[in-house]
Amino acid sequence: MRRRGCGSKIGIRLPTAAIGPCLGGGALLRRSDSGNGDANPSSDYRRRPGRAASVAYAPSQRIDSIVLERQNRAHVLQRIRAGVLEAGTVDLLRVVGLGERMDREGHPHNGSAIAWEGRPRFFIDTKKFTGKSMMAYGQTAITEDLYAARDAAGGEIIDEARNVALHDLTSTRPYVTYEKKGQTHCVDCDYVAGCDGFHGVSRQSIPASVLRTYEKGYPFGWLGIMSETPPFPDLCYCYHSRGFALASMRSPMLSRYYIQCDLDTRLEDWPDERFWQEFKARCPKDMADKVVTGPSIEKSIAPLRSFVAEPMRYGRLLLAGDAAHIVPPTGAKGLNLAVSDVFYLSRALDETYKTGKTHYLDCYSDMALRRVWGAARMSWWLTMLLHRFPDETPFDQRARENQFDYLHASEHAQASLAEQYVGVPFEA
Ligand SMILES: Cc1cc2nc3c(=O)[nH]c(=O)nc-3n(C[C@H](O)[C@H](O)[C@H](O)COP(=O)(O)OP(=O)(O)OC[C@H]3O[C@@H](n4cnc5c(N)ncnc54)[C@H](O)[C@@H]3O)c2cc1C
């Protein structure tokens, strides 16, 4: 396979949760009209045997990109995951022109209730404390919207791209190879954004001598179901001696429920009937009486983990999303962190190709990590508060109860939690 001398190019992999400016993939960055230096005609990409490239779109200039996705579209779209969007994510979706369906089908979300066994339930009014609204709108719908925007922009998505590999990341001409239908392809790039999730190839392309990882495992998972039933009007976290439970939503007719479960739980041991019974046993009776049950359309077990990889940049590789960090879903942060990474990355690439300056590229990792660690700490704190741990002591339990009582009694404590839950503003 030959590498081609080429003009400025950028390789980005599609982050299924990334928004707008960087839809992903190994990409070619065509010098824009406002590009600096030699607008080299050869940078106009011509697909040649053994290579694939396409275009994605950045807000202020056309950034050509290719999407290399290991799965096919149907597989990506059948995954059911996140659903609570921070205020910053909601605003960003609107800014990049992906807000119309969200505003039509989404469910504004202005706070969450905490029901603590034996104590009064209370509602943390995030709108009152922050003046901002969140939104319940499923990640699957966002991914559908992203695909539609990509298709409308004439962007190319290479599905079932196998054996994606990143090369020469510390050079000025990195490239990405992949296999498709028995042929090996190459994409010459300037930058590669690794948005291929926790199990992807990108983070693993950073030498162990460079990469620092921080990890905390939790001794339980979440057994979650989705049902086409009307959800509660607001999220409700339930703390109970039988274990944690969460009533969430994805849309006005799509409910998402979770219960804490042991790590060795098997889905086949949890028919719907048993799930509903256990969920109701973990919430207050008045709430249990209002649960609208129905057949599950999806059922899964998610282990809980906190994980952060540093730095989020290695040469011309920039990590974004789960490739760099994983947080327990307790704080509804995973998807929102992927969005903020992609926002920072998009702004950095914009600046570099528009002005030749690399300020935002140079500070990308540190800036993204400040937000990542804020969300990782908040998710860890909420997980520690709302779950019982198998090996905990009576002191742990009493301290946890006091933490809850303080949160219940203090508007300052609630305001602080609300500010973190809604999402702190992106850094300028
Ligand atoms: C069960 C579950 C529930 C969740 N609930 C919430 C929630 O309520 N709120 C929240 O904010 N977050 C939640 N999350 C987390 C959220 O879904 C993730 O943070 C988000 O999907 C991260 O997006 P990403 O694009 O970085 O990674 P991913 O969504 O993992 O996407 C990575 C993509 O890369 C592709 N890929 C992987 N390896 C390769 C390769 N070698 N070559 C090419 N392509 C590759 C994958 O096929 C995938 O399409 C949940 C996650 C799970 C699993």
Side-chain angles (χ1 to χ4, degrees):
M1 171 175 45
R2 260 180 344 98
R3 289 192 58 205
R4 177 168 61 94
C6 54
S8 61
K9 295 195 170 51
I10 173 171
I12 304 178
R13 220 224 39 77
L14 169 70
T16 48
I19 303 298
C22 292
L23 287 176
L28 307 178
L29 192 87
R30 186 176 305 140
R31 285 203 188 290
S32 67
D33 305 344
S34 56
N36 59 331
D38 57 310
N40 168 358
S42 74
S43 70
D44 279 344
Y45 188 78
R46 274 176 294 286
R47 183 202 289 260
R48 296 184 34 198
R51 291 187 183 142
S54 68
V55 258
Y57 186 74
S60 58
Q61 76 176 30
R62 187 166 172 69
I63 296 184
D64 291 347
S65 76
I66 187 171
V67 175
L68 298 183
E69 166 53 58
R70 178 170 59 183
Q71 306 291 353
N72 61 43
R73 187 174 291 206
H75 178 97
V76 173
L77 289 176
Q78 54 83 30
R79 280 190 299 221
I80 290 180
R81 287 181 163 178
V84 175
L85 308 183
E86 288 179 351
T89 298
V90 173
D91 293 345
L92 193 57
L93 279 165
R94 289 175 181 146
V95 163
V96 297
L98 290 174
E100 190 270 328
R101 183 181 167 206
M102 171 189 68
D103 287 326
R104 192 176 66 246
E105 297 178 10
H107 179 80
H109 172 49
N110 293 324
S112 296
I114 299 184
W116 194 284
E117 185 182 11
R119 282 170 160 79
R121 191 179 336 163
F122 81 107
F123 181 74
I124 300 187
D125 188 336
T126 51
K127 175 100 179 187
K128 179 184 97 176
F129 288 115
T130 67
K132 296 178 188 169
S133 272
M134 300 172 75
M135 183 78 81
Y137 183 60
Q139 180 174 342
T140 310
I142 296 177
T143 310
E144 287 167 351
D145 299 347
L146 280 166
Y147 268 122
R150 179 83 176 161
D151 294 343
E156 187 178 7
I157 298 179
I158 308 286
D159 287 331
E160 297 169 324
R162 298 286 181 225
N163 300 322
V164 171
L166 313 182
H167 309 270
D168 291 359
L169 292 173
T170 53
S171 77
T172 55
R173 291 191 177 286
Y175 64 100
V176 177
T177 54
Y178 69 95
E179 290 162 17
K180 173 99 179 171
K181 294 191 178 123
Q183 218 186 11
T184 299
H185 299 253
C186 167
V187 179
D188 298 326
C189 315
D190 284 346
Y191 295 95
V192 181
C195 312
D196 46 351
F198 184 75
H199 302 289
V201 66
S202 298
R203 189 181 66 253
Q204 297 165 38
S205 302
I206 301 179
S209 57
V210 172
L211 196 67
R212 302 180 301 278
T213 59
Y214 305 85
E215 184 154 14
K216 177 178 182 56
Y218 298 88
F220 43 73
W222 280 13
L223 167 58
I225 70 166
M226 185 82 88
S227 61
E228 289 170 326
T229 52
F232 282 98
D234 294 300
L235 258 75
C236 186
Y237 292 94
C238 301
Y239 174 83
H240 196 276
S241 47
R242 297 174 70 102
F244 167 83
L246 170 61
S248 184
M249 69 199 73
R250 290 294 177 265
S251 73
M253 263 314 280
L254 210 48
S255 300
R256 184 75 161 147
Y257 291 94
Y258 294 100
I259 56 172
Q260 175 183 350
C261 64
D262 294 338
L263 286 175
D264 59 359
T265 298
R266 299 183 318 158
L267 276 183
E268 54 268 32
D269 297 337
W270 283 88
D272 290 0
E273 191 50 42
R274 183 182 176 198
F275 179 91
W276 289 120
Q277 208 172 1
E278 184 58 32
F279 180 84
K280 290 183 180 181
R282 297 187 186 187
C283 50
K285 179 156 181 1
D286 69 307
M287 185 178 158
D289 293 344
K290 291 189 191 120
V291 175
V292 178
T293 64
S296 59
I297 59 168
E298 191 269 353
K299 195 181 289 180
S300 56
I301 295 173
L304 269 60
R305 166 188 15 228
S306 297
F307 174 87
V308 179
E310 296 182 355
M312 288 175 59
R313 178 180 181 185
Y314 173 67
R316 294 295 180 112
L317 169 65
L318 302 112
L319 299 182
D322 281 12
H325 40 73
I326 296 279
V327 290
T330 327
K333 290 298 177 193
L335 165 66
N336 292 293
L337 278 180
V339 169
S340 51
D341 291 347
V342 170
F343 167 72
Y344 286 145
L345 185 51
S346 159
R347 183 173 61 180
L349 297 173
D350 237 7
E351 177 197 49
T352 296
Y353 282 98
K354 210 188 254 177
T355 68
K357 294 189 182 105
T358 58
H359 163 71
Y360 282 121
L361 266 179
D362 296 341
C363 66
Y364 168 72
S365 180
D366 290 344
M367 187 177 281
L369 281 168
R370 279 192 289 272
R371 191 178 184 87
V372 165
W373 275 110
R377 175 191 43 74
M378 179 260 188
S379 306
W380 159 78
W381 180 83
L382 212 48
T383 302
M384 298 303 284
L385 176 69
L386 295 170
H387 293 76
R388 296 186 76 115
F389 286 66
D391 56 354
E392 66 186 18
T393 66
F395 176 88
D396 297 327
Q397 177 56 17
R398 290 295 291 117
R400 175 184 298 119
E401 286 166 358
N402 180 267
Q403 173 74 59
F404 173 76
D405 292 340
Y406 167 64
L407 181 63
H408 186 203
S410 162
E411 288 227 333
H412 298 293
Q414 291 175 35
S416 166
L417 179 55
E419 175 189 50
Q420 297 170 79
Y421 191 73
V422 162
V424 296
F426 297 146
E427 288 185 37

